[in-house]
Amino acid sequence: QSFKLLGFLDVNSVPCSRESVLYGSVGSLVVGLGHFLATSRVRRSCDFAVGGFICTMLGYWFYCRYNLAQQRIRQRMLKEGMRNKILFEGSSLDPERKQTGNEGSDS
């Protein structure tokens, strides 16, 4: 099942969107209810709830996307390192072979 936010944003297919909407909902509930308990003004509390939703959702969206980008960079570096390991293993360019020194002399 797909859930579309605002009619066009498919929440299941876009990375970090599901968690952002969920955290935004919780943030709006906390901010709106907190403001209502403090002031007893319904309309103003609803305004604060909408603002809390937007701020929480965008804040978590950027945090999650930043971590996702870092993870993809680390995966790319690891993949490149594994490819180089397989490519250079046993050759004269192998860094592990240089560290062991002369393997043929047992003096």
Side-chain angles (χ1 to χ4, degrees):
Q1 294 181 4
S2 73
F3 173 71
K4 294 194 180 219
L5 186 66
L6 301 175
F8 63 91
L9 178 63
D10 190 9
V11 174
N12 289 333
S13 65
V14 178
C16 299
S17 62
R18 180 179 178 270
E19 292 85 7
S20 296
V21 171
L22 290 175
Y23 282 122
S25 300
V26 171
S28 72
L29 181 69
V30 168
V31 170
L33 189 61
H35 189 271
F36 176 74
L37 291 175
T39 63
S40 297
R41 296 174 64 189
V42 177
R43 183 169 169 80
R44 190 79 164 154
S45 298
C46 290
D47 293 341
F48 269 81
V50 170
F53 174 77
I54 292 171
C55 290
T56 307
M57 186 180 74
L58 287 177
Y60 187 77
W61 171 269
F62 287 121
Y63 170 76
C64 183
R65 294 297 287 202
Y66 178 74
N67 285 338
L68 187 64
Q70 281 186 332
Q71 182 182 12
R72 287 183 179 167
I73 290 170
R74 285 192 301 266
Q75 285 177 344
R76 193 176 321 124
M77 288 173 55
L78 184 61
K79 190 176 184 180
E80 181 77 19
M82 289 172 61
R83 189 171 53 82
N84 287 340
K85 171 81 172 161
I86 293 169
L87 186 66
F88 296 127
E89 189 172 29
S91 70
S92 62
L93 299 173
D94 188 6
E96 291 180 8
R97 189 172 183 185
K98 288 181 181 178
Q99 290 176 358
T100 59
N102 294 337
E103 295 171 358
S105 64
D106 290 330
S107 311

